[in-house]
Amino acid sequence: MKKIIILVTLTAMIMSCSELARMEEEYQQDLRERGRRCRYNYKGEVQHCGYIN
């Protein structure tokens, strides 16, 4: 019984990780399609990024 519970838990964790990976890919695709403009400070560090369109 313990092994089944552990198996179900691990399966749920794997499914949630794949869902997070899919969401991240959609976010990255959205950024590529819309484009971004970033502002940098005098050291060259990113201060703020926003969408162009």
Side-chain angles (χ1 to χ4, degrees), residues 12-29:
M13 288 173 59
I14 291 169
M15 290 175 65
S16 65
C17 289
S18 65
E19 180 68 18
L20 287 174
R22 185 189 61 79
M23 289 172 59
E24 177 65 22
E25 178 58 34
E26 288 177 358
Y27 173 72
Q28 292 298 326
Q29 180 67 28

Side-chain angles (χ1 to χ4, degrees), residues 26-48:
E26 288 177 358
Y27 173 72
Q28 292 298 326
Q29 180 67 28
D30 187 44
L31 290 179
R32 284 190 296 271
E33 288 174 359
R34 293 178 67 187
R36 293 188 311 170
R37 178 181 302 135
C38 297
R39 294 184 181 183
Y40 301 91
N41 66 8
Y42 68 95
K43 296 180 183 177
E45 299 168 340
V46 175
Q47 294 299 305
H48 171 74

Side-chain angles (χ1 to χ4, degrees), residues 1-14:
M1 186 66 174
K2 267 184 157 178
K3 290 181 181 179
I4 293 174
I5 293 172
I6 291 172
L7 179 64
V8 169
T9 304
L10 289 174
T11 304
M13 288 173 59
I14 291 169

